[in-house]
Amino acid sequence: MSKADLKLLIIQPSHYRSKTDRTIFKTKRRQMVPLALPYLAALTPREWTVTLLDEQLEDINFEVPVDVVALSAWTLHSPRAYDIAAEFRRRGVKVIMGGPHVFFYAEEAAEHCDAVGVGEAEPIWRTMLEDAAADRLQKIYRATPLKELNDLPPPRYDLLDLKKFGPFRTFAVQSSRGCPFVCDFCSERFYLGGRFRWRPVDQMVAELERIKDKGSHFFFGESNFGGKKSRAMELMEGLVPLRIRWSTLWSSNLCLDTNFLDLAQRSGVMHVNIGIESIDEEMLQGMKKGWNKASRYGEMFDNLRRRDISYSLNFIFGYDDEHPDVYEATLSFLEAHKVPAAYFNILTPTKGTALFERMKKAGRIIDPEDIDRWPGQVCHIWPKNCTPGQMEQRIQGMYRKFYSMRSMVHRLPFPRTRSDMSSWILNMTERRMAFSSTGNNDFDIY
């Protein structure tokens, strides 16, 4: 292909509604402006003309004149991504693919594409495009994880139609990669490069300064915003003059650090998601999350509430030793503490984790290759104390009880502040999901 007029189409695939319903999930508008598409565009050499396409928001024209199609996919998107790849390859277009799915299923994905990239994009993206232009693509490119995150290019938001993300859009940004913790069930630390690394504060602040007038809110989409507390506090000091509102994920121990929380409040934090996983100390030890102190959860919530910081909690159910009353006990605990929002997850042995290896060896996984392929709360294991179907019903029941109007009115304050309003909006969104026919909880509208 001629280097004078190289055309690249980068697609974020949608997903099918279920294993039996191959209707493509669509939405008219997202609230979250994605990071992957504009960032890949920023890494692309200038001789390429780049087009970005989010399939949830717009249809794919398979007849478009393009030299290379790049797909970025989670495992949920993989069945659809493979079908997209087949359509373009049938027309003679080269297809490359990356993303979290490829990290764990490189050989499988390579069967459907001309080439796949495993790991972080920065070390291999330019090489893949150069090889595609020269008709010398290899099947698999494996990246050496970056040692540091200095001088990352600013995302090409100019290539997105921001009107499709609404007037109160949230920009996904990233100030760190990896995680300092090793949770038994979590695979994020593998495809995010393993070792915890962070961007220089001045560069992160400069990026936010460039785009702060384009959106009303920012979401730091990373495993643990406070993975290195001193660095997180330095960044929050840099955020104070920007006068922005932001959300993120951090670990529960930071909710006991009043200096950290005071600075987070001054810097504009509005919502934080916390993986507390269980209200049982013994269960937390089994998950290797001993830094979560169930005995101090009430203190954590009071600390956040006093600073008008909205929060949501993640839970995991399905461990062998959990008490049969844990489902109702958790709901009672959340109502007693007036917790604004919570997500209830079925224990899932994601590929690459120690949990996956143990469960597979014991014959406890129903279909290892089916994990995370389809939306909704799906039980992929044989639980010790119930059937997979019963486990799914228990979790669906928790969602419906927690997001019932009775529970919401009891838990949520009258919406006087932006934090209160954020909690109400989040609850109404989760309520629609909880009472939908599929019980989907994949945050597709974001």
Side-chain angles (χ1 to χ4, degrees):
M1 58 186 76
S2 171
K3 288 190 176 182
D5 190 26
L6 296 169
K7 293 183 175 62
L8 171 66
L9 172 61
I10 306 176
I11 300 175
Q12 184 170 309
S14 184
H15 60 82
Y16 294 119
R17 289 188 174 272
S18 73
K19 196 171 184 176
T20 56
D21 181 0
R22 293 305 179 97
T23 303
I24 303 169
F25 179 84
K26 291 286 190 178
T27 185
K28 292 182 179 179
R29 179 174 290 176
R30 282 187 191 263
Q31 295 179 22
M32 186 82 75
V33 180
L35 178 59
L37 293 182
Y39 185 65
L40 285 174
L43 293 176
T44 302
R46 290 295 176 177
E47 61 264 26
W48 291 81
T49 299
V50 183
T51 303
L52 306 181
L53 189 148
D54 182 339
E55 196 188 17
Q56 285 191 24
L57 295 173
E58 53 188 313
D59 296 332
I60 298 173
N61 176 10
F62 289 99
E63 301 298 334
V64 65
V66 63
D67 299 299
V68 176
V69 168
L71 302 168
S72 177
W74 295 75
T75 299
L76 173 65
H77 308 126
S78 59
R80 176 58 185 162
Y82 293 161
D83 288 347
I84 294 171
E87 281 295 315
F88 276 111
R89 295 180 81 194
R90 190 167 61 84
R91 291 165 169 79
V93 178
K94 290 182 173 63
V95 177
I96 61 179
M97 185 173 175
H101 174 70
V102 172
F103 188 91
F104 297 109
Y105 295 91
E107 287 74 19
E108 174 193 290
E111 294 177 3
H112 298 271
C113 307
D114 295 285
V116 298
V118 182
E120 294 176 298
E122 290 88 352
I124 57 176
W125 180 250
R126 179 181 291 268
T127 301
M128 292 180 73
L129 293 176
E130 288 175 352
D131 287 356
D135 292 320
R136 58 172 185 247
L137 276 172
Q138 306 170 35
K139 268 297 182 182
I140 299 179
Y141 295 76
R142 297 187 184 273
T144 300
L146 297 178
K147 293 182 178 180
E148 54 188 24
L149 302 182
N150 294 344
D151 302 316
L152 301 185
R156 294 284 309 277
Y157 293 115
D158 59 295
L159 298 178
L160 291 175
D161 181 1
L162 294 180
K163 293 179 181 178
K164 294 182 178 179
F165 299 93
F168 305 108
R169 64 185 73 100
T170 294
F171 278 82
V173 296
Q174 189 178 66
S175 69
S176 69
R177 292 182 194 168
C179 185
F181 300 125
V182 182
C183 298
D184 187 57
F185 52 82
C186 182
S187 62
E188 279 191 14
R189 62 191 178 88
F190 297 111
Y191 60 76
L192 289 177
R195 188 172 55 86
F196 184 71
R197 298 144 300 155
W198 55 90
R199 297 179 63 185
V201 168
D202 60 337
Q203 295 177 20
M204 188 71 243
V205 170
E207 180 174 310
L208 292 170
E209 182 73 50
R210 281 192 295 270
I211 61 174
K212 71 175 186 176
D213 294 331
K214 298 180 183 293
S216 61
H217 193 87
F218 298 88
F219 174 67
F220 287 90
E222 40 212 82
S223 296
N224 192 335
F225 179 84
K228 185 174 177 61
K229 190 177 75 169
S230 60
R231 174 264 169 199
M233 295 187 74
E234 183 185 355
L235 175 57
M236 290 191 294
E237 287 283 7
L239 298 181
V240 173
L242 297 183
R243 303 179 65 84
I244 62 173
R245 300 291 280 173
W246 58 277
S247 302
T248 192
L249 304 86
W250 68 47
S251 55
S252 63
N253 59 302
L254 294 173
C255 299
L256 298 170
D257 187 324
T258 55
N259 290 331
F260 183 91
L261 294 179
D262 287 343
L263 180 54
Q265 180 187 28
R266 285 199 299 114
S267 68
V269 69
M270 186 164 71
H271 184 92
V272 60
N273 178 257
I274 308 161
I276 70 170
E277 320 308 356
S278 177
I279 60 174
D280 187 313
E281 293 277 11
E282 292 186 7
M283 293 300 304
L284 291 170
Q285 293 297 328
M287 297 177 188
K288 297 185 178 180
K289 294 205 69 163
W291 60 88
N292 281 4
K293 306 298 181 184
S295 61
R296 302 187 70 181
Y297 284 168
E299 181 184 350
M300 287 167 39
F301 305 154
D302 288 343
N303 285 342
L304 293 167
R305 192 174 292 113
R306 280 196 295 269
R307 292 165 177 81
D308 192 34
I309 300 174
S310 175
Y311 64 95
S312 55
L313 307 178
N314 297 329
F315 290 89
I316 298 177
F317 299 93
Y319 274 89
D320 290 351
D321 296 329
E322 70 182 16
H323 194 277
D325 295 334
V326 68
Y327 306 94
E328 288 300 326
T330 299
L331 289 172
S332 297
F333 169 87
L334 295 174
E335 291 213 4
H337 287 281
K338 298 184 183 297
V339 170
Y343 306 115
F344 312 113
N345 303 287
I346 299 173
L347 179 65
T348 301
T350 306
K351 196 169 183 179
T353 63
L355 176 66
F356 178 88
E357 297 303 326
R358 289 201 312 273
M359 286 280 189
K360 185 177 180 181
K361 185 177 180 179
R364 298 278 303 278
I365 303 178
I366 297 172
D367 182 353
E369 299 306 311
D370 211 35
I371 293 175
D372 289 339
R373 302 272 181 175
W374 312 104
Q377 288 284 0
V378 180
C379 183
H380 292 285
I381 64 174
W382 296 104
K384 182 179 179 180
N385 301 309
C386 66
T387 67
Q390 288 171 333
M391 177 60 70
E392 292 170 4
Q393 290 172 4
R394 288 175 181 178
I395 298 302
Q396 187 64 21
M398 292 186 76
Y399 270 105
R400 293 187 174 186
K401 288 180 180 179
F402 186 75
Y403 291 105
S404 67
M405 288 305 301
R406 184 205 64 79
S407 174
M408 289 165 57
V409 169
H410 173 76
R411 290 182 291 104
L412 302 179
F414 185 82
R416 296 184 178 87
T417 67
R418 291 186 66 173
S419 177
D420 294 341
M421 183 62 71
S422 171
S423 294
W424 274 99
I425 292 172
L426 185 56
N427 272 252
M428 294 305 296
T429 300
E430 285 300 301
R431 177 177 168 80
R432 287 195 297 272
M433 292 182 184
F435 287 89
S436 70
S437 60
T438 60
N440 190 4
N441 187 38
D442 292 292
F443 312 101
D444 296 299
I445 63 170
Y446 296 97

